Amino acid sequence: MTNPRNPQAVNGRPFDAVLCDLDGVIRFYDMTELTRMEQAVGLVEGTTAKVALAPGNDLPVLRGEHTVEQWIEAIASELSERLPAERARELATMFTRTPFRADENVVEMLRLAQAHVPVVLVTNATLDVEDDLALLGLAYFADDVVNSARIGVVKPDARIYEIAAERAGVPMDRCLFVDDRAENVEAAVALGMTGVVYGAIADLEEALAPLLALATP
């Protein structure tokens, strides 16, 4: 956990808001069926994801410039260079519909934090993320959701962090930022936030411990 300015606690709190990534921290995907489909057509595991997440394909949908259907078309178009068009589209569609789940332990930790400070989700996601949160049972979980597709800016652009802090109603140097990607955390720290690179729930527990200790008699 890093913060170059090391702000003093205010009212006993180490920070006044938690800004948290969605994918790779709260939400996780089951790639089993997609992998089976790739194997069935002779593709190396992970090929579809590599195509889908290439900047030229995913940035437009993450900035809200393309719909998910347009993303599917872009993925399928590239895959069709090595597969029949029908198979390529099936893989592209499956990628965008990969089953996912929420880590309930992480959700519970964040709910405990909400007893003290606002929790804002900060995610590079598609225009469907609100529906996805509803499917996870988290439609009303966060105090706010800063979705790249809604604001047209993706992490690690400084503006998405500024918007998140504004939504939380606190200065940036009073925010804890949690993300599974080091470059996103580094950008947050450069703006004065306390940053945590998430690898396991122990990372979140350590970061929240000073805040949650306030509830301990």
Side-chain angles (χ1 to χ4, degrees), residues 3 26 47 54 75 85 91 102-103 132 177:
N3 187 319
I26 297 173
T47 297
I75 300 167
L91 283 166
D103 186 325
D132 292 348
F177 180 79

PDB file of all heavy atoms in Angstrom, residues 3 26 47 54 75 85 91 102-103 132 177:
ATOM      1  N   ASN A   3       1.324   5.634  -0.584  1.00  0.00           N
ATOM      2  CA  ASN A   3       0.829   6.993  -0.718  1.00  0.00           C
ATOM      3  C   ASN A   3       2.011   7.928  -0.493  1.00  0.00           C
ATOM      4  O   ASN A   3       2.530   7.993   0.614  1.00  0.00           O
ATOM      5  CB  ASN A   3      -0.277   7.295   0.300  1.00  0.00           C
ATOM      6  CG  ASN A   3      -0.913   8.666   0.055  1.00  0.00           C
ATOM      7  OD1 ASN A   3      -0.226   9.640  -0.250  1.00  0.00           O
ATOM      8  ND2 ASN A   3      -2.211   8.728   0.193  1.00  0.00           N
ATOM      9  N   ILE A  26     -13.607  -7.598  -7.541  1.00  0.00           N
ATOM     10  CA  ILE A  26     -14.935  -8.047  -7.104  1.00  0.00           C
ATOM     11  C   ILE A  26     -15.484  -9.118  -8.034  1.00  0.00           C
ATOM     12  O   ILE A  26     -15.996 -10.138  -7.580  1.00  0.00           O
ATOM     13  CB  ILE A  26     -15.915  -6.859  -7.055  1.00  0.00           C
ATOM     14  CG1 ILE A  26     -15.459  -5.823  -6.027  1.00  0.00           C
ATOM     15  CG2 ILE A  26     -17.336  -7.347  -6.748  1.00  0.00           C
ATOM     16  CD1 ILE A  26     -16.271  -4.546  -6.046  1.00  0.00           C
ATOM     17  N   THR A  47      -6.942 -17.196 -27.066  1.00  0.00           N
ATOM     18  CA  THR A  47      -6.874 -16.446 -28.332  1.00  0.00           C
ATOM     19  C   THR A  47      -8.005 -15.432 -28.441  1.00  0.00           C
ATOM     20  O   THR A  47      -7.798 -14.283 -28.827  1.00  0.00           O
ATOM     21  CB  THR A  47      -6.923 -17.407 -29.527  1.00  0.00           C
ATOM     22  OG1 THR A  47      -5.770 -18.257 -29.500  1.00  0.00           O
ATOM     23  CG2 THR A  47      -6.951 -16.632 -30.844  1.00  0.00           C
ATOM     24  N   ALA A  54      -7.480  -6.488 -27.348  1.00  0.00           N
ATOM     25  CA  ALA A  54      -6.529  -5.649 -28.082  1.00  0.00           C
ATOM     26  C   ALA A  54      -7.065  -4.217 -28.091  1.00  0.00           C
ATOM     27  O   ALA A  54      -8.279  -4.006 -28.257  1.00  0.00           O
ATOM     28  CB  ALA A  54      -6.350  -6.162 -29.497  1.00  0.00           C
ATOM     29  N   ILE A  75     -14.522  -8.431 -32.922  1.00  0.00           N
ATOM     30  CA  ILE A  75     -13.812  -9.644 -32.517  1.00  0.00           C
ATOM     31  C   ILE A  75     -13.995 -10.730 -33.573  1.00  0.00           C
ATOM     32  O   ILE A  75     -13.028 -11.387 -33.991  1.00  0.00           O
ATOM     33  CB  ILE A  75     -14.329 -10.149 -31.154  1.00  0.00           C
ATOM     34  CG1 ILE A  75     -14.122  -9.102 -30.067  1.00  0.00           C
ATOM     35  CG2 ILE A  75     -13.633 -11.459 -30.769  1.00  0.00           C
ATOM     36  CD1 ILE A  75     -14.886  -9.389 -28.777  1.00  0.00           C
ATOM     37  N   ALA A  85     -16.626 -17.955 -40.529  1.00  0.00           N
ATOM     38  CA  ALA A  85     -17.287 -16.793 -39.939  1.00  0.00           C
ATOM     39  C   ALA A  85     -18.269 -17.183 -38.824  1.00  0.00           C
ATOM     40  O   ALA A  85     -18.356 -16.499 -37.798  1.00  0.00           O
ATOM     41  CB  ALA A  85     -18.020 -16.011 -41.028  1.00  0.00           C
ATOM     42  N   LEU A  91     -17.566 -17.647 -30.990  1.00  0.00           N
ATOM     43  CA  LEU A  91     -16.533 -17.387 -29.994  1.00  0.00           C
ATOM     44  C   LEU A  91     -16.616 -15.955 -29.481  1.00  0.00           C
ATOM     45  O   LEU A  91     -16.497 -15.706 -28.279  1.00  0.00           O
ATOM     46  CB  LEU A  91     -15.151 -17.652 -30.589  1.00  0.00           C
ATOM     47  CG  LEU A  91     -14.750 -19.120 -30.720  1.00  0.00           C
ATOM     48  CD1 LEU A  91     -13.539 -19.252 -31.624  1.00  0.00           C
ATOM     49  CD2 LEU A  91     -14.471 -19.729 -29.361  1.00  0.00           C
ATOM     50  N   ALA A 102     -19.390 -12.834  -8.250  1.00  0.00           N
ATOM     51  CA  ALA A 102     -18.779 -11.869  -7.337  1.00  0.00           C
ATOM     52  C   ALA A 102     -18.080 -12.627  -6.216  1.00  0.00           C
ATOM     53  O   ALA A 102     -18.574 -13.655  -5.746  1.00  0.00           O
ATOM     54  CB  ALA A 102     -19.839 -10.942  -6.748  1.00  0.00           C
ATOM     55  N   ASP A 103     -16.936 -12.118  -5.792  1.00  0.00           N
ATOM     56  CA  ASP A 103     -16.259 -12.662  -4.621  1.00  0.00           C
ATOM     57  C   ASP A 103     -16.961 -12.094  -3.393  1.00  0.00           C
ATOM     58  O   ASP A 103     -16.799 -10.914  -3.065  1.00  0.00           O
ATOM     59  CB  ASP A 103     -14.778 -12.260  -4.640  1.00  0.00           C
ATOM     60  CG  ASP A 103     -13.989 -12.917  -3.515  1.00  0.00           C
ATOM     61  OD1 ASP A 103     -14.544 -13.094  -2.407  1.00  0.00           O
ATOM     62  OD2 ASP A 103     -12.810 -13.240  -3.735  1.00  0.00           O
ATOM     63  N   ASP A 132     -24.992  -5.950 -15.446  1.00  0.00           N
ATOM     64  CA  ASP A 132     -24.136  -6.983 -14.866  1.00  0.00           C
ATOM     65  C   ASP A 132     -24.150  -6.910 -13.335  1.00  0.00           C
ATOM     66  O   ASP A 132     -24.202  -7.934 -12.657  1.00  0.00           O
ATOM     67  CB  ASP A 132     -22.698  -6.824 -15.365  1.00  0.00           C
ATOM     68  CG  ASP A 132     -22.551  -7.135 -16.843  1.00  0.00           C
ATOM     69  OD1 ASP A 132     -23.499  -7.682 -17.441  1.00  0.00           O
ATOM     70  OD2 ASP A 132     -21.481  -6.832 -17.405  1.00  0.00           O
ATOM     71  N   PHE A 177      -7.444   3.746  -3.265  1.00  0.00           N
ATOM     72  CA  PHE A 177      -7.768   3.201  -4.591  1.00  0.00           C
ATOM     73  C   PHE A 177      -7.259   1.767  -4.682  1.00  0.00           C
ATOM     74  O   PHE A 177      -6.084   1.494  -4.423  1.00  0.00           O
ATOM     75  CB  PHE A 177      -7.142   4.049  -5.699  1.00  0.00           C
ATOM     76  CG  PHE A 177      -7.438   3.532  -7.078  1.00  0.00           C
ATOM     77  CD1 PHE A 177      -8.659   3.779  -7.677  1.00  0.00           C
ATOM     78  CD2 PHE A 177      -6.500   2.760  -7.750  1.00  0.00           C
ATOM     79  CE1 PHE A 177      -8.949   3.272  -8.940  1.00  0.00           C
ATOM     80  CE2 PHE A 177      -6.772   2.250  -9.014  1.00  0.00           C
ATOM     81  CZ  PHE A 177      -8.000   2.510  -9.613  1.00  0.00           C
TER      82      PHE A 177
END
